[in-house]
Amino acid sequence: MARNLITDVPGIRVGNAGDAKLGSGVTVIVFEKPVTASVDVRGGGPGTRETALLDPAQTVEGIDAIVLSGGSAFGLDAASGVQAWLREQGRGFQVGEARVPIVPGAILFDLLSGGDKNWGRYPPYREPGVLQQRLSGREHNPCSRRHRRQTHQGTSKPPGGNGTKRFVACDPSRAHTTGW
């Protein structure tokens, strides 16, 4: 039954996690096989990773996953965790005998929105990226009450509020989702 979710599309899996202590989160979209993607980067301070590869003039013809993360520039590290996991699975762009999973990412600035950002030398985003890749599945429903409760508990204000750090938002009827 179609629920108007991104996971209604065959071959797409989504994982999402929020860390209440950190006050941030990661969303991973994984494709069963490489897909063609495009991007339009805007704004005065965009935080992206590997988006230049999405230009049709580049060598890479498809991507393996997309990562959306909080954490500003530190959150870009989440894509490294997903890339490492995909490499372990034998996924990626063939370069000689090596495989390089193509995992573009984008972040949003949530460093001033609460949570403990004193993580030490290395930001904690790489491992949540791996975790979300392992947990991603077709039954992910970002509009479920359980998901909304988990996402908003300690990690953000209600949808539309100042400081919202969600990557997927639901309309009031919870029948439609929109991605960030």
Side-chain angles (χ1 to χ4, degrees):
M1 174 178 89
R3 296 176 293 177
N4 202 24
L5 301 174
I6 190 170
T7 52
D8 289 342
V9 178
I12 295 180
R13 297 181 297 159
V14 177
N16 179 280
D19 183 320
K21 182 180 178 198
L22 182 63
S24 192
V26 175
T27 296
V28 179
I29 304 166
V30 180
F31 308 100
E32 288 180 8
K33 59 183 181 178
V35 299
T36 302
S38 183
V39 66
D40 181 17
V41 179
R42 296 176 186 228
T48 61
R49 168 193 158 128
E50 295 186 356
T51 54
L53 291 174
L54 303 180
D55 183 320
Q58 300 302 325
T59 303
V60 174
E61 294 180 2
I63 65 170
D64 298 291
I66 296 174
V67 175
L68 307 172
S69 178
S72 190
F74 300 106
L76 291 172
D77 204 29
S80 297
V82 174
Q83 186 178 46
W85 186 87
L86 286 166
R87 185 173 180 265
E88 290 172 353
Q89 309 307 306
R91 299 275 312 269
F93 181 73
Q94 190 76 42
V95 181
E97 293 187 26
R99 287 205 171 266
V100 181
I102 306 302
V103 183
I107 53 85
L108 72 111
F109 185 86
D110 65 355
L111 294 178
L112 303 178
S113 60
D116 181 6
K117 305 300 194 268
N118 188 20
W119 51 66
R121 184 173 186 178
Y122 297 104
Y125 291 91
R126 181 178 292 211
E127 291 309 310
V130 172
L131 174 65
Q132 281 316 107
Q133 165 52 37
R134 289 180 179 151
L135 295 177
S136 65
R138 278 193 52 79
E139 292 308 310
H140 172 77
N141 181 354
C143 289
S144 72
R145 286 184 182 183
R146 178 174 174 249
H147 176 82
R148 288 193 322 273
R149 189 170 48 250
Q150 289 173 340
T151 301
H152 295 299
Q153 187 176 30
T155 61
S156 69
K157 297 176 182 167
N162 183 27
T164 299
K165 294 182 290 301
R166 291 201 48 157
F167 301 110
V168 179
C170 305
D171 73 5
S173 69
R174 292 172 182 73
H176 179 73
T177 60
T178 54
W180 167 66

